[in-house]
């Protein structure tokens, strides 16, 4: 929740936060955010009979301190198929695998973080899938000042739109299937 180093192993803090300081941050930021997210997921599930959380993040594609090699462009995580219906994982995989000029992997280095694992409860019609995007897919460079690249983003956008559209089409067929 409160890391002590950055992705290059460099200390973030001059002095590490105390347990009480970490707990205060959890109460001030983490808990309200997740209460709101849970309420919205419940609202959507109550309205439509099913909810899908598409938990999308981005990360540098090359982080030697954490990973060998270069990360794929699309990193899909379902905690090895436990956080969503198989149809969801397959739909996202299919779109990402067909995205010309991009690389993808499912349940590789990113199997789905806390949010995906916490909310992904297919047996309760609550599905969650994580997408960790390589920043190289939409930034000019993955270092400061992190300039947005309109051309890269324009090329990426149809694939992300296709994923969200496919999940919306698929959702009604998932009610009560898990």
């Amino acid at each position: 929740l409160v890391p002590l180093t950055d992705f290059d192993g460099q200390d973030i803090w001059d002095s590490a936060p105390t347990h009480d300081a970490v707990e205060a941050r959890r109460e001030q930021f983490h808990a309200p955010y997740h209460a709101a997210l849970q309420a919205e997921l419940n609202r959507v599930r109550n309205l439509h009979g099913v909810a899908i959380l598409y938990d999308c993040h981005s990360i540098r594609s090359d982080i030697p301190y954490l990973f060998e090699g270069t990360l794929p462009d699309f990193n899909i995580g379902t905690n090895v198929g436990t956080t969503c219906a198989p149809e969801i994982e397959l739909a996202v995989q299919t779109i990402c695998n067909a995205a010309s000029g991009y690389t993808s992997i499912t349940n590789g280095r990113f199997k789905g973080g806390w949010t995906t694992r916490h909310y992904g409860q297919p047996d309760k019609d609550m599905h969650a899938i994580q997408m960790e995007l390589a920043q190289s897919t939409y930034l000019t460079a993955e270092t400061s000042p992190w300039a947005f690249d309109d051309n890269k983003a324009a090329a990426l956008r149809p694939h992300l739109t296709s994923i969200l559209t496919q999940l919306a089409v698929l959702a009604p067929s998932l009610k009560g299937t898990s």
Side-chain angles (χ1 to χ4, degrees):
L1 183 62
V2 180
L4 301 179
T5 62
D6 66 14
F7 283 1
D8 295 317
Q10 302 300 310
D11 289 336
I12 294 172
W13 305 89
D14 290 332
S15 60
T18 64
H19 171 78
D20 289 345
V22 170
E23 184 58 21
R25 284 179 176 86
R26 189 194 68 71
E27 288 177 15
Q28 187 176 6
F29 302 108
H30 185 268
Y33 170 83
H34 284 285
L37 181 55
Q38 183 70 66
E40 182 62 11
L41 289 168
N42 289 340
R43 185 190 71 78
V44 168
R45 183 183 56 194
N46 291 340
L47 184 64
H48 299 287
V50 64
I52 301 173
L53 171 62
Y54 186 73
D55 188 24
C56 193
H57 316 165
S58 68
I59 192 167
R60 285 189 345 235
S61 58
D62 184 34
I63 309 173
Y65 180 74
L66 296 178
F67 310 114
E68 283 187 32
T70 301
L71 289 170
D73 298 314
F74 299 110
N75 297 271
I76 305 161
T78 65
N79 198 29
V80 194
T82 64
T83 64
C84 65
E87 298 91 335
I88 293 172
E89 182 179 295
L90 180 60
V92 175
Q93 276 180 326
T94 300
I95 292 164
C96 292
N97 291 344
S100 181
Y102 295 94
T103 57
S104 64
I105 191 167
T106 302
N107 294 311
R109 293 177 179 127
F110 300 98
K111 292 180 173 54
W114 184 88
T115 298
T116 305
R117 293 188 318 269
H118 179 75
Y119 294 105
Q121 300 173 32
D123 59 322
K124 296 179 180 173
D125 293 318
M126 191 83 68
H127 304 268
I129 186 165
Q130 179 176 326
M131 174 65 70
E132 197 76 41
L133 285 171
Q135 290 174 346
S136 60
T137 62
Y138 66 91
L139 294 178
T140 301
E142 295 177 280
T143 56
S144 178
W146 299 283
F148 189 75
D149 187 312
D150 290 321
N151 292 330
K152 285 183 177 182
L156 177 64
R157 192 170 291 115
H159 305 297
L160 298 177
T161 300
S162 181
I163 289 168
L164 296 178
T165 301
Q166 182 60 34
L167 294 180
V169 168
L170 187 60
S173 68
L174 299 172
K175 290 186 272 188
T177 60
S178 299

